[in-house]
Amino acid sequence: MRFESSVTSISWIPSEAIEGMPEIPFELGIGHYDQPPPDRLDEGDLERLHAGDRFREANCLSAWIEVENGKIVDHGQAGGGLVGPTRFSLGPVGLTVPGVAFDVLRPEPKVHDDAVRFEQTVGGRAGFPAPRRVAGRPYFRVHSAISWTTLALTIRADGSSDHELVGASPFPRHWIYDRDGDLVAKSGIVDFKTWYREARGDRTPWGDEESEPFVTSAESALEREISRELMEGKNLWERRTLEVDETLVEQGEPGDELYLLLDGVLVVEVDGDEVAEIGPGAIVGEGALLDGGKRTATLRARTRCRIAVIPAELIDRQEMEDLAAGRRERWELAE
């Protein structure tokens, strides 16, 4: 009997993810941030997104095993990757520069009697030169840094499978889709400065170094919908930055603000116990507005976080109740 499975990642540049001088072309409208990818990937979607300049890199790992009498007798691996072009607007003139894809890396699968583990690394360079200072010789580079993802897929003799984001470049954001095409996880942190200066040569999987990602579960579809609407408004809401272990809100304290986590990972603590981690795209703080104005949990930064302060009146009570109910359900399922 043959069993098949797959896992896909999409790497894209979220708004406000670039800092310093490299941000200028984006702010001037010469370059562009990417629209968030869809919540679900169906057949042909990757090719359409690639043609529309919607992502920087995509990694699709698919594999199969043959099972006889409960033991694996054969296996195979397929899939590949796409490196997106970069489009620039120079007044009335549009310029499209193709990306440079590197060789796909596929180490030998790890084969056992009851399971096979496959790996695949896809990546390359953005399609436009990026003059910059870098760490170490030659101290200055013209071509862009390297982005990548390394995916793993394990298929078992009973037909079950699971996947993993083994490694990834510190930039841009990486979203992970399961065998059914549903968004299930994402990288929790984008670190543009580290990527810009260090993601090159031997500091990549094509050299001798991998970068372990901080992976979080995907937020709810409702949160993604609300956050997209909020960010499309381009409102100049207050921004906050939290360093590691810094507290956003404290359980029991009064509060009437909502927060959109732009980047990083927050820990949720209730009565001193850690109950969950929350990643980018999450909307938090609704508990106080639904429960008499008191914070129902402590939110603390596990990593450096960037946060937008959202006026509560922008989200109606029913949406806040749905957010809270969905979050409680996910936490209960994770226990």
Side-chain angles (χ1 to χ4, degrees):
M1 181 176 292
R2 173 175 286 216
F3 295 110
E4 300 178 350
S5 190
S6 64
V7 58
T8 301
S9 66
I10 289 181
S11 304
W12 60 287
I13 303 176
S15 62
E16 304 186 24
I18 297 176
E19 301 174 336
M21 290 292 290
E23 182 183 15
I24 293 176
F26 291 81
E27 297 302 316
L28 293 177
I30 299 173
H32 70 88
Y33 296 105
D34 297 320
Q35 298 178 36
D39 293 349
R40 178 179 173 82
L41 289 179
D42 292 316
E43 186 175 355
D45 282 350
L46 269 185
E47 290 73 16
R48 285 191 288 272
L49 293 170
H50 180 253
D53 188 25
R54 289 282 302 277
F55 60 74
R56 302 309 99 211
E57 173 254 313
N59 185 351
C60 182
L61 166 58
S62 60
W64 55 268
I65 61 171
E66 290 281 354
V67 179
E68 294 181 3
N69 299 320
K71 290 190 176 182
I72 297 172
V73 296
D74 199 5
H75 62 274
Q77 182 173 349
L82 294 168
V83 175
T86 303
R87 293 180 181 172
F88 296 87
S89 298
L90 304 172
V93 180
L95 176 65
T96 299
V97 182
V100 179
F102 288 5
D103 290 340
V104 175
L105 302 180
R106 288 180 180 157
E108 281 296 315
K110 296 179 181 178
V111 182
H112 307 279
D113 286 344
D114 60 349
V116 182
R117 176 183 168 89
F118 306 88
E119 279 194 16
Q120 179 171 283
T121 301
V122 167
R125 297 188 188 280
F128 196 76
R132 66 202 189 281
R133 291 185 300 170
V134 299
R137 294 180 182 277
Y139 304 114
F140 188 82
R141 295 267 175 167
V142 174
H143 51 60
S144 66
I146 298 167
S147 64
W148 74 89
T149 54
T150 299
L151 297 174
L153 177 65
T154 299
I155 308 178
R156 301 180 187 86
D158 62 3
S160 64
S161 64
D162 56 40
H163 57 262
E164 181 184 354
L165 179 62
V166 176
S169 53
F171 183 88
R173 176 84 70 220
H174 310 289
W175 279 14
I176 312 302
Y177 297 81
D178 66 11
R179 62 189 296 173
D180 297 319
D182 293 323
L183 174 63
V184 292
K186 57 175 62 177
S187 59
I189 307 167
V190 290
D191 186 347
F192 176 77
K193 289 183 178 179
T194 297
W195 173 80
Y196 199 56
R197 292 183 179 274
E198 298 182 7
R200 57 188 175 83
D202 58 2
R203 297 184 178 184
T204 73
W206 291 269
D208 58 7
E209 188 173 312
E210 182 61 272
S211 179
E212 183 178 355
F214 203 120
V215 181
T216 65
S217 298
E219 74 283 10
S220 68
L222 176 59
E223 284 174 294
R224 286 193 292 277
E225 180 182 350
I226 295 173
S227 63
R228 285 169 181 162
E229 292 174 355
L230 292 173
M231 295 306 292
E232 285 173 358
K234 301 294 183 182
N235 295 293
L236 298 177
W237 295 308
E238 178 188 350
R239 299 294 197 267
R240 296 185 188 174
T241 299
L242 300 182
E243 301 302 332
V244 175
D245 289 332
E246 192 173 349
T247 299
L248 176 63
V249 300
E250 192 79 40
Q251 184 177 357
E253 291 186 349
D256 60 0
E257 295 174 322
L258 293 171
Y259 305 96
L260 171 60
L261 181 55
L262 300 173
D263 187 57
V265 179
L266 290 170
V267 174
V268 183
E269 299 173 357
V270 177
D271 298 329
D273 295 327
E274 182 179 319
V275 299
E277 286 183 342
I278 295 177
I283 296 169
V284 296
E286 79 288 342
L289 290 104
L290 297 173
D291 195 25
K294 297 287 187 180
R295 297 297 183 189
T296 58
T298 295
L299 300 177
R300 197 181 313 280
R302 171 138 289 167
T303 70
R304 188 174 186 270
C305 295
R306 293 187 298 112
I307 294 164
V309 181
I310 307 299
E313 61 269 18
L314 294 182
I315 302 178
D316 65 40
R317 186 176 182 86
Q318 185 59 56
E319 287 179 323
M320 286 191 279
E321 290 177 351
D322 291 344
L323 287 173
R327 187 167 288 135
R328 284 194 300 269
E329 182 179 352
R330 293 197 303 276
W331 294 351
E332 288 170 359
L333 291 173
E335 291 180 352

